[in-house]
Amino acid sequence: MAGEGGFWDFVKKPSIRRAMERYARHEPKPRPLTRRELASLVTTLLARDPGPDFAARLAATGPAVVPALLDVLRDPGCWATKPYTDDFSARSPLRLAAEHFMEHPAAEAVPALAGVIGHDDKAVRKSAARAIAAVGTGDCIDPLTVALADADEYVRSYALQGAARACKDGRATPGFRAAAFDRVLSLFDADFYPADEVPETLLELDRSRAEAILLAPAHLSAGNRFLKCNLRAMDEAGVALPFERLKDLLADLRPRSHDYPASYSCRYALTALGRTGSPEAEPILRDALTWGGEEVKDGAASGLLALHGVGRPFDAMNPRWREGGFDALTEPQKVYLTLIDLDGQVRNGGFHQYFVNSYGGNAWFAPRAAERVPAPGHAAVIRRAVALFGPDGPPRDRDDRHVRLAAFTAEQDAELKALDTAYYGVPDKLDTLLTLYAVEHASHFRA
């Protein structure tokens, strides 16, 4: 395994990790632009590449940079200047200005940005589209209309994101909401729209109108090709769906539940079924755990959580964990936290990543936790991984644990990597098992 470099050097040389952590602790925050720099901003951006940290400095300057950036947008040279480099992600003066207003919407910038909607660079167009829509006033409707008809999906998507943000941030005027709703609705069921974001944006713009549309029989049926998108949007918005309609919908979807996108439609429908609170939902959700694939099982587990009054399990334990650490948690909370962290780390980068990161501080408890779930297949693999550290297991102290891990022989490293493969091969999904565990111990996971 020698010569792997990158993360492997990080694992085998604890000094590298410590140096990176020291740098992160002392890394200076972006410095706002000075008055002199603001006064010469047009010249600076048009004359040369201001450097990779300049966008962060613009953001750190806040509203004070708006007049100077407006001068940049008004300068003819801004439109003529090409990107600073040939790199695919390189920025131009125009793109830098549009991206700043995308993150910091300003009504004063709308007239200047409206002209950018037709720019040749789609990266500029998408930034401008989001920046304009996020302002949320009547002046934004015409350029928003143009952006929603753009040939590039990213431009349309960013325009939708901006409109939704204007609503979430409380800037959207009633006139903007009404006019934007009609513009966005024109994309509904079209072949080329960003499928997930149209129903989500409609719900932000006018929830009651959007619900009436999304709950119509034509849109809440197994035959609708955008059913997954519509269910997902309603799921994220917490829209209440009728139990009987969900029950019938799941019966229609079940024959295709292992195929995309029906598998995802089942997932969101099952979650919504749990939210109905109907006592008839429990057997349906339990049954779905036996016939469905991964997405169906995830939805059934989430539905059971909702049915038993549990939201996201970590939210309930977070205050206790922040105040008193791991030892302050109840036993079921310790089981859940230990294994949800382990599963995420191992699936992302293997056991080496788990042990080298702070999450590995609870590795000593992980085999016992997996047995409690119960998740015997995972418990067997975890026990073997922990045993590589010797009879006392991995140290709870991160530095000590990293030193021990770095000292592993080539044979030990190879065995730990083989355990990654064994872990991925366990047929049951641990996160689904943990959701069911949280249902069985619901009193510990209610916020």
Side-chain angles (χ1 to χ4, degrees):
M1 257 163 275
E4 292 193 19
F7 177 70
W8 196 246
D9 285 340
F10 182 86
V11 170
K12 302 307 276 185
K13 299 175 182 177
S15 60
I16 293 178
R17 176 181 64 81
R18 290 194 290 268
M20 291 173 66
E21 289 175 348
R22 285 195 300 272
Y23 177 80
R25 284 196 299 269
H26 301 293
E27 184 179 9
K29 293 181 179 180
R31 181 170 51 86
L33 299 176
T34 65
R35 288 185 180 181
R36 179 175 295 181
E37 287 174 319
L38 285 173
S40 61
L41 189 61
V42 174
T43 304
T44 299
L45 291 183
L46 299 187
R48 64 183 185 280
D49 184 348
D53 66 335
F54 198 77
R57 293 193 65 201
L58 286 177
T61 309
V65 79
V66 170
L69 278 179
L70 289 175
D71 288 340
V72 172
L73 288 173
R74 295 187 187 108
D75 192 292
C78 178
W79 293 75
T81 304
K82 295 181 179 180
Y84 297 119
T85 71
D86 293 330
D87 184 81
F88 78 96
S89 63
R91 291 168 171 163
S92 64
L94 193 58
R95 183 173 171 185
L96 269 172
E99 286 181 350
H100 177 82
F101 287 119
M102 181 175 71
E103 296 302 325
H104 303 275
E108 308 97 302
V110 170
L113 288 171
V116 181
I117 291 295
H119 196 270
D120 291 340
D121 186 342
K122 65 182 180 182
V124 172
R125 296 202 308 275
K126 74 179 185 181
S127 298
R130 186 178 178 192
I132 292 170
V135 172
T137 63
D139 294 338
C140 307
I141 294 301
D142 287 344
L144 172 64
T145 304
V146 174
L148 290 176
D150 197 282
D152 186 82
E153 182 174 343
Y154 278 107
V155 176
R156 303 193 300 272
S157 175
Y158 271 54
L160 292 166
Q161 291 172 27
R165 179 174 173 181
C167 298
K168 292 176 182 176
D169 292 352
R171 284 188 301 273
T173 64
F176 173 84
R177 285 175 178 269
F181 189 97
D182 292 336
R183 304 305 193 278
V184 175
L185 184 59
S186 68
L187 297 183
F188 197 60
D189 287 340
D191 288 331
F192 77 125
Y193 77 82
D196 285 321
E197 289 169 331
V198 166
E200 292 170 5
T201 306
L202 289 174
L203 284 163
E204 289 291 344
L205 289 166
D206 189 328
R207 185 176 176 116
S208 60
R209 280 185 71 187
E211 284 190 19
I213 293 168
L214 293 170
L215 292 173
H219 297 132
L220 192 62
S221 70
N224 187 292
R225 56 182 173 152
F226 298 116
L227 176 64
K228 171 191 77 84
C229 309
N230 298 337
L231 284 171
R232 177 185 173 185
M234 289 189 284
D235 176 59
E236 292 183 350
V239 175
L241 278 69
F243 171 81
E244 289 297 333
R245 292 187 64 186
L246 286 167
K247 179 181 175 182
D248 293 342
L249 180 63
L250 284 164
D252 292 339
L253 288 169
R254 181 168 176 170
R256 295 179 285 122
S257 62
H258 286 272
D259 301 326
Y260 178 86
S263 57
Y264 280 83
S265 296
C266 284
R267 173 183 180 175
Y268 298 124
L270 286 163
T271 301
L273 191 74
R275 289 198 181 122
T276 65
S278 170
E280 297 180 53
E282 179 111 17
I284 298 174
L285 293 168
R286 295 278 180 183
D287 183 49
L289 293 170
T290 65
W291 56 259
E294 287 188 3
E295 294 301 332
V296 173
K297 289 179 180 177
D298 284 346
S302 297
L304 285 168
L305 281 178
L307 186 65
H308 288 269
V310 179
R312 291 182 297 184
F314 184 73
D315 288 348
M317 70 177 82
N318 191 34
R320 185 192 293 253
W321 176 73
R322 285 187 176 278
E323 184 176 342
F326 183 77
D327 293 334
L329 300 177
T330 66
E331 185 78 0
Q333 290 172 343
K334 290 178 180 177
V335 168
Y336 185 92
L337 181 64
T338 297
L339 294 180
I340 204 71
D341 285 344
L342 180 148
D343 193 60
Q345 288 288 299
V346 174
R347 291 195 176 279
N348 180 263
F351 277 105
H352 282 94
Q353 176 175 307
Y354 171 63
F355 287 128
V356 83
N357 285 339
S358 58
Y359 302 101
N362 298 328
W364 61 274
F365 181 68
R368 190 196 323 168
E371 291 166 358
R372 299 272 174 87
V373 169
H378 297 88
V381 177
I382 295 168
R383 195 179 299 110
R384 289 170 59 193
V386 167
L388 288 172
F389 285 85
D392 295 329
R396 296 184 71 167
D397 180 81
R398 186 181 184 186
D399 287 335
D400 292 344
R401 187 173 63 257
H402 194 172
V403 169
R404 293 273 300 278
L405 181 67
F408 272 17
T409 64
E411 291 75 15
Q412 286 175 303
D413 284 323
E415 185 174 351
L416 194 56
K417 284 205 167 187
L419 290 174
D420 293 343
T421 303
Y423 186 92
Y424 305 146
V426 177
D428 294 320
K429 284 189 67 181
L430 185 56
D431 56 354
T432 301
L433 294 176
L434 283 172
T435 300
L436 295 175
Y437 178 82
V439 169
E440 299 301 324
H441 299 82
S443 63
H444 296 266
F445 299 100
R446 292 192 182 104

